[in-house]
Amino acid sequence: MARYHLAQLDELDAVACPCGFARRAFAGVPDAPANVHVVDIKQDSETHYHKRFTEIYIVLEGAGWFELDGERVPARPLSAVLIQPGCRHRAVGPMRILNIPMPRFDPEDEWMD
């Protein structure tokens, strides 16, 4: 059995998420410690939080802001933020981000107020 997994992020199907549309790599890899998502942010993204996992957002393209527990923080290419469980958050603006959820993403752990 191979000890590595490859993904071509631009060839994955996009799925709707609170921030826009995500292409999620490694979701089907058993025991993966994390996933990698490329997310195209929509202007009216929804504030949400997670109870169990941490996320790292890294801006690849575009600019806007991160809203983190009500505070707006400017975001531009290569801005990165570590979002801990319970932090209400969203990314806003015409951006493409890399999102790394740890442990791996669980759609049952997306919460809106």
Side-chain angles (χ1 to χ4, degrees), residues 21-103:
F21 294 93
R23 298 173 188 274
R24 297 178 174 150
F26 314 124
V29 177
D31 301 322
N35 302 112
V36 177
H37 305 173
V38 171
V39 183
D40 291 307
I41 303 300
K42 62 182 180 179
Q43 189 63 34
D44 58 345
S45 62
E46 299 175 60
T47 301
H48 63 285
Y49 66 99
H50 311 284
K51 294 179 180 180
R52 296 185 309 272
F53 62 85
T54 296
E55 294 179 293
I56 296 174
Y57 283 10
I58 303 164
V59 178
L60 300 175
E61 301 171 7
W65 71 85
F66 298 126
E67 190 173 293
L68 307 160
D69 280 340
E71 182 180 347
R72 285 188 176 185
V73 178
R76 59 184 175 88
L78 299 181
S79 294
V81 61
L82 184 137
I83 304 167
Q84 295 179 307
C87 179
R88 277 129 177 101
H89 62 280
R90 68 183 185 141
V92 179
M95 292 186 284
R96 175 172 279 182
I97 68 164
L98 190 67
N99 176 10
I100 304 168
M102 302 163 291

